[in-house]
Structures are given as structure tokens and as C-alpha cells.
Short mmCIF file of all heavy atoms in Angstrom, two decimals:
data_model
loop_
_atom_site.label_atom_id
_atom_site.label_comp_id
_atom_site.label_asym_id
_atom_site.label_seq_id
_atom_site.Cartn_x
_atom_site.Cartn_y
_atom_site.Cartn_z
N ILE A 817 9.32 -0.86 -16.09
CA ILE A 817 9.42 0.59 -15.53
C ILE A 817 10.88 0.91 -15.86
O ILE A 817 11.11 2.12 -16.21
CB ILE A 817 9.32 0.43 -14.03
CG1 ILE A 817 7.78 0.09 -13.84
CG2 ILE A 817 9.48 1.82 -13.43
CD1 ILE A 817 6.74 0.88 -14.42
N THR A 818 12.03 0.16 -15.65
CA THR A 818 13.35 0.54 -15.94
C THR A 818 13.44 0.94 -17.46
O THR A 818 14.09 1.89 -17.77
CB THR A 818 14.41 -0.39 -15.47
OG1 THR A 818 14.21 -1.67 -16.11
CG2 THR A 818 14.27 -0.60 -13.89
N GLY A 819 12.88 0.02 -18.33
CA GLY A 819 13.01 0.44 -19.63
C GLY A 819 12.26 1.62 -20.17
O GLY A 819 12.72 2.34 -21.01
N ARG A 820 11.09 1.77 -19.50
CA ARG A 820 10.23 2.86 -19.82
C ARG A 820 10.91 4.26 -19.56
O ARG A 820 10.84 5.26 -20.31
CB ARG A 820 8.89 2.80 -19.09
CG ARG A 820 7.82 3.82 -19.37
CD ARG A 820 6.68 3.60 -18.37
NE ARG A 820 6.00 2.36 -18.61
CZ ARG A 820 4.92 1.94 -17.92
NH1 ARG A 820 4.56 2.73 -16.86
NH2 ARG A 820 4.45 0.75 -18.05
N HIS A 821 11.67 4.29 -18.49
CA HIS A 821 12.40 5.56 -18.02
C HIS A 821 13.82 5.52 -18.13
O HIS A 821 14.45 6.59 -17.94
CB HIS A 821 11.92 5.73 -16.51
CG HIS A 821 10.49 5.99 -16.20
ND1 HIS A 821 9.95 7.20 -16.47
CD2 HIS A 821 9.57 5.13 -15.85
CE1 HIS A 821 8.66 7.14 -16.18
NE2 HIS A 821 8.35 5.87 -15.73
N GLY A 822 14.43 4.55 -18.60
CA GLY A 822 15.86 4.55 -18.90
C GLY A 822 16.64 4.56 -17.54
O GLY A 822 17.75 5.22 -17.58
N VAL A 823 16.16 3.97 -16.59
CA VAL A 823 16.87 3.98 -15.30
C VAL A 823 17.18 2.50 -14.75
O VAL A 823 16.56 1.47 -15.48
CB VAL A 823 16.04 4.66 -14.28
CG1 VAL A 823 15.85 6.15 -14.58
CG2 VAL A 823 14.72 3.90 -14.01
N ASP A 824 17.97 2.43 -13.78
CA ASP A 824 18.27 1.20 -13.06
C ASP A 824 17.30 0.80 -12.07
O ASP A 824 16.65 1.66 -11.53
CB ASP A 824 19.75 1.19 -12.62
CG ASP A 824 20.73 1.22 -13.77
OD1 ASP A 824 20.58 0.56 -14.74
OD2 ASP A 824 21.74 1.92 -13.53
N PRO A 825 17.28 -0.47 -11.65
CA PRO A 825 16.32 -0.75 -10.54
C PRO A 825 16.49 0.07 -9.24
O PRO A 825 15.49 0.31 -8.56
CB PRO A 825 16.66 -2.30 -10.28
CG PRO A 825 17.10 -2.82 -11.57
CD PRO A 825 17.96 -1.60 -12.21
N ALA A 826 17.82 0.34 -8.87
CA ALA A 826 18.05 1.15 -7.72
C ALA A 826 17.32 2.47 -7.72
O ALA A 826 16.88 3.04 -6.72
CB ALA A 826 19.56 1.32 -7.43
N ALA A 827 17.40 3.17 -8.99
CA ALA A 827 16.71 4.32 -9.21
C ALA A 827 15.14 4.31 -8.95
O ALA A 827 14.55 5.12 -8.37
CB ALA A 827 17.04 4.94 -10.58
N VAL A 828 14.48 3.21 -9.35
CA VAL A 828 13.20 3.11 -9.01
C VAL A 828 12.89 2.85 -7.62
O VAL A 828 11.94 3.50 -6.95
CB VAL A 828 12.63 1.68 -9.75
CG1 VAL A 828 11.22 1.38 -9.42
CG2 VAL A 828 12.86 1.77 -11.28
N HIS A 829 13.77 2.12 -6.85
CA HIS A 829 13.58 1.88 -5.47
C HIS A 829 13.80 3.22 -4.76
O HIS A 829 13.18 3.51 -3.64
CB HIS A 829 14.60 0.96 -4.96
CG HIS A 829 14.50 0.65 -3.48
ND1 HIS A 829 15.57 1.00 -2.66
CD2 HIS A 829 13.53 0.25 -2.69
CE1 HIS A 829 15.17 0.64 -1.39
NE2 HIS A 829 13.94 0.30 -1.32
N ALA A 830 14.72 4.07 -5.22
CA ALA A 830 14.98 5.30 -4.67
C ALA A 830 13.95 6.39 -4.83
O ALA A 830 13.79 7.44 -4.08
CB ALA A 830 16.32 5.93 -5.05
N SER A 831 13.01 6.28 -5.81
CA SER A 831 12.05 7.22 -6.18
C SER A 831 10.59 6.76 -5.74
O SER A 831 10.19 5.75 -6.09
CB SER A 831 12.11 7.45 -7.62
OG SER A 831 10.92 8.14 -8.09
N ASP A 832 9.87 7.52 -4.76
CA ASP A 832 8.65 7.16 -4.38
C ASP A 832 7.70 7.18 -5.60
O ASP A 832 6.84 6.41 -5.65
CB ASP A 832 8.07 8.26 -3.45
CG ASP A 832 8.86 8.21 -2.10
OD1 ASP A 832 9.46 7.03 -1.84
OD2 ASP A 832 8.73 9.03 -1.22
N GLU A 833 7.96 8.05 -6.58
CA GLU A 833 7.08 8.17 -7.76
C GLU A 833 7.13 6.94 -8.61
O GLU A 833 6.14 6.39 -9.09
CB GLU A 833 7.33 9.53 -8.64
CG GLU A 833 6.55 9.70 -9.71
CD GLU A 833 6.84 10.94 -10.53
OE1 GLU A 833 7.60 11.81 -10.07
OE2 GLU A 833 6.22 11.08 -11.67
N LEU A 834 8.44 6.62 -8.91
CA LEU A 834 8.62 5.23 -9.70
C LEU A 834 8.21 4.15 -9.05
O LEU A 834 7.62 3.19 -9.60
CB LEU A 834 10.05 5.25 -10.12
CG LEU A 834 10.59 6.28 -11.17
CD1 LEU A 834 11.97 6.11 -11.43
CD2 LEU A 834 9.68 6.26 -12.41
N THR A 835 8.34 4.03 -7.71
CA THR A 835 7.95 2.82 -6.91
C THR A 835 6.40 2.79 -7.07
O THR A 835 5.79 1.74 -7.19
CB THR A 835 8.34 3.00 -5.56
OG1 THR A 835 9.74 2.95 -5.32
CG2 THR A 835 7.81 1.79 -4.73
N ARG A 836 5.69 3.89 -7.05
CA ARG A 836 4.26 3.90 -7.12
C ARG A 836 3.77 3.48 -8.37
O ARG A 836 2.79 2.72 -8.55
CB ARG A 836 3.68 5.27 -6.71
CG ARG A 836 3.69 5.51 -5.23
CD ARG A 836 2.78 6.71 -4.78
NE ARG A 836 3.31 7.92 -5.47
CZ ARG A 836 4.21 8.75 -4.89
NH1 ARG A 836 4.64 8.49 -3.63
NH2 ARG A 836 4.55 9.88 -5.49
N GLU A 837 4.50 3.88 -9.43
CA GLU A 837 4.23 3.54 -10.79
C GLU A 837 4.46 2.12 -11.00
O GLU A 837 3.53 1.32 -11.65
CB GLU A 837 5.03 4.25 -11.79
CG GLU A 837 4.86 4.03 -13.22
CD GLU A 837 5.69 4.80 -14.18
OE1 GLU A 837 6.23 5.88 -13.76
OE2 GLU A 837 5.78 4.57 -15.30
N LEU A 838 5.39 1.48 -10.39
CA LEU A 838 5.60 0.09 -10.46
C LEU A 838 4.45 -0.68 -9.78
O LEU A 838 4.00 -1.71 -10.31
CB LEU A 838 6.97 -0.38 -9.88
CG LEU A 838 7.24 -1.83 -9.61
CD1 LEU A 838 7.24 -2.57 -10.88
CD2 LEU A 838 8.53 -2.17 -8.86
N GLN A 839 4.08 -0.26 -8.64
CA GLN A 839 2.98 -0.87 -7.83
C GLN A 839 1.70 -0.74 -8.61
O GLN A 839 0.88 -1.69 -8.56
CB GLN A 839 2.91 -0.13 -6.49
CG GLN A 839 4.04 -0.44 -5.63
CD GLN A 839 4.06 0.19 -4.29
OE1 GLN A 839 3.60 1.47 -4.22
NE2 GLN A 839 4.58 -0.21 -3.21
N ALA A 840 1.42 0.33 -9.25
CA ALA A 840 0.24 0.47 -10.13
C ALA A 840 0.18 -0.48 -11.17
O ALA A 840 -0.79 -1.02 -11.53
CB ALA A 840 -0.02 1.87 -10.60
N LEU A 841 1.40 -0.65 -11.92
CA LEU A 841 1.44 -1.56 -13.03
C LEU A 841 1.17 -3.05 -12.52
O LEU A 841 0.36 -3.74 -13.11
CB LEU A 841 2.83 -1.71 -13.51
CG LEU A 841 3.20 -2.59 -14.63
CD1 LEU A 841 2.33 -2.35 -15.83
CD2 LEU A 841 4.62 -2.51 -15.03
N LEU A 842 1.68 -3.34 -11.26
CA LEU A 842 1.47 -4.69 -10.73
C LEU A 842 -0.04 -4.86 -10.37
O LEU A 842 -0.63 -5.82 -10.66
CB LEU A 842 2.40 -4.89 -9.40
CG LEU A 842 3.91 -5.18 -9.85
CD1 LEU A 842 4.78 -4.93 -8.56
CD2 LEU A 842 4.08 -6.56 -10.40
N ALA A 843 -0.41 -3.97 -9.54
CA ALA A 843 -1.91 -4.06 -9.11
C ALA A 843 -2.96 -3.89 -10.09
O ALA A 843 -3.83 -4.70 -10.08
CB ALA A 843 -2.06 -3.12 -7.85
N ASP A 844 -2.82 -2.84 -10.93
CA ASP A 844 -3.88 -2.50 -11.84
C ASP A 844 -3.79 -3.44 -13.15
O ASP A 844 -4.92 -3.96 -13.55
CB ASP A 844 -3.88 -1.08 -12.19
CG ASP A 844 -4.14 -0.37 -10.98
OD1 ASP A 844 -4.61 -0.75 -9.92
OD2 ASP A 844 -3.64 0.92 -11.01
N GLU A 845 -2.69 -3.51 -13.72
CA GLU A 845 -2.70 -4.30 -15.01
C GLU A 845 -2.38 -5.69 -14.91
O GLU A 845 -2.97 -6.53 -15.61
CB GLU A 845 -1.58 -3.68 -15.88
CG GLU A 845 -1.47 -4.21 -17.28
CD GLU A 845 -0.64 -3.38 -18.24
OE1 GLU A 845 -0.45 -2.18 -17.97
OE2 GLU A 845 -0.14 -3.84 -19.29
N LEU A 846 -1.48 -6.16 -13.95
CA LEU A 846 -1.17 -7.51 -13.79
C LEU A 846 -2.00 -8.19 -12.64
O LEU A 846 -1.89 -9.46 -12.53
CB LEU A 846 0.35 -7.73 -13.43
CG LEU A 846 1.20 -7.08 -14.46
CD1 LEU A 846 2.66 -7.07 -13.99
CD2 LEU A 846 1.17 -7.92 -15.79
N ARG A 847 -2.83 -7.50 -11.96
CA ARG A 847 -3.62 -8.03 -10.95
C ARG A 847 -2.86 -8.87 -9.80
O ARG A 847 -3.29 -9.98 -9.58
CB ARG A 847 -4.72 -8.75 -11.53
CG ARG A 847 -5.80 -7.83 -12.19
CD ARG A 847 -6.94 -8.65 -12.73
NE ARG A 847 -6.63 -9.54 -13.87
CZ ARG A 847 -7.11 -10.71 -14.11
NH1 ARG A 847 -8.11 -11.18 -13.18
NH2 ARG A 847 -6.64 -11.48 -15.05
N VAL A 848 -1.71 -8.20 -9.30
CA VAL A 848 -0.93 -8.84 -8.24
C VAL A 848 -1.50 -8.29 -6.93
O VAL A 848 -1.73 -7.03 -6.88
CB VAL A 848 0.56 -8.38 -8.49
CG1 VAL A 848 1.34 -8.79 -7.34
CG2 VAL A 848 1.05 -9.23 -9.83
N GLN A 849 -1.67 -9.08 -5.97
CA GLN A 849 -1.90 -8.78 -4.75
C GLN A 849 -0.67 -8.16 -3.95
O GLN A 849 0.16 -8.78 -3.64
CB GLN A 849 -2.50 -9.88 -3.92
CG GLN A 849 -2.80 -9.74 -2.43
CD GLN A 849 -3.29 -10.86 -1.72
OE1 GLN A 849 -4.56 -11.17 -1.64
NE2 GLN A 849 -2.42 -11.67 -1.20
N LEU A 850 -0.82 -6.83 -3.56
CA LEU A 850 0.27 -6.22 -2.92
C LEU A 850 0.17 -6.14 -1.35
O LEU A 850 1.18 -5.91 -0.69
CB LEU A 850 0.45 -4.74 -3.41
CG LEU A 850 0.73 -4.61 -5.00
CD1 LEU A 850 0.93 -3.04 -5.39
CD2 LEU A 850 1.83 -5.45 -5.37
N ALA A 851 -0.91 -6.47 -0.88
CA ALA A 851 -1.25 -6.62 0.64
C ALA A 851 -2.24 -7.49 0.97
O ALA A 851 -3.24 -7.71 0.12
CB ALA A 851 -1.61 -5.20 1.04
N TRP A 852 -2.18 -8.19 2.04
CA TRP A 852 -3.12 -9.10 2.46
C TRP A 852 -4.28 -8.39 3.28
O TRP A 852 -4.02 -7.35 3.75
CB TRP A 852 -2.61 -9.98 3.52
CG TRP A 852 -1.63 -11.07 2.95
CD1 TRP A 852 -0.31 -11.00 3.00
CD2 TRP A 852 -1.95 -12.37 2.26
NE1 TRP A 852 0.27 -12.20 2.34
CE2 TRP A 852 -0.70 -12.90 1.93
CE3 TRP A 852 -3.17 -12.93 2.00
CZ2 TRP A 852 -0.68 -14.16 1.16
CZ3 TRP A 852 -3.11 -14.15 1.26
CH2 TRP A 852 -1.88 -14.87 0.98
N PRO A 853 -5.53 -8.82 3.08
CA PRO A 853 -6.58 -8.25 4.10
C PRO A 853 -6.06 -8.27 5.37
O PRO A 853 -5.33 -9.24 5.86
CB PRO A 853 -7.76 -9.22 3.81
CG PRO A 853 -7.52 -9.79 2.47
CD PRO A 853 -6.02 -9.93 2.33
N ASP A 854 -6.44 -7.31 6.23
CA ASP A 854 -5.83 -7.09 7.55
C ASP A 854 -6.03 -8.40 8.41
O ASP A 854 -5.11 -8.83 9.07
CB ASP A 854 -6.38 -5.85 8.24
CG ASP A 854 -5.43 -5.53 9.51
OD1 ASP A 854 -4.29 -5.25 9.37
OD2 ASP A 854 -6.09 -5.51 10.56
N ALA A 855 -7.27 -8.96 8.32
CA ALA A 855 -7.59 -10.07 9.05
C ALA A 855 -6.67 -11.30 8.91
O ALA A 855 -6.24 -12.08 9.71
CB ALA A 855 -9.13 -10.53 9.00
#
């Protein structure tokens, strides 16, 4: 994400949009679990 947009990690953290993009990459492409089932 930082390479794609030419920004530093802090800028990703400060941006809701970039954070969501990172989460989408993790969840959709890499199949990372971002949250546990509530139970």
C-alpha cells in the first residue's frame, strides 16, 4: 500500500481510506482473518 501510493506507513494509518484499502488487500486477496467470530 505504501509503495502503491508513495506514502509512509503513518499516512496509511492516518487515512481511513488507505486503512480500508489495506484491510481489503489483507482480507480479500491474502485471506487474512481480521476479526474473530463474536462467540
Side-chain angles (χ1 to χ4, degrees):
I817 300 299
T818 59
R820 186 184 296 176
H821 295 281
V823 298
D824 291 323
V828 177
H829 179 243
S831 166
D832 291 343
E833 182 179 352
L834 291 179
T835 297
R836 286 194 296 270
E837 185 176 341
L838 170 61
Q839 290 171 326
L841 175 63
L842 286 163
D844 299 339
E845 187 166 341
L846 300 174
R847 291 183 291 147
V848 170
Q849 176 181 263
L850 298 183
W852 291 100
D854 195 59

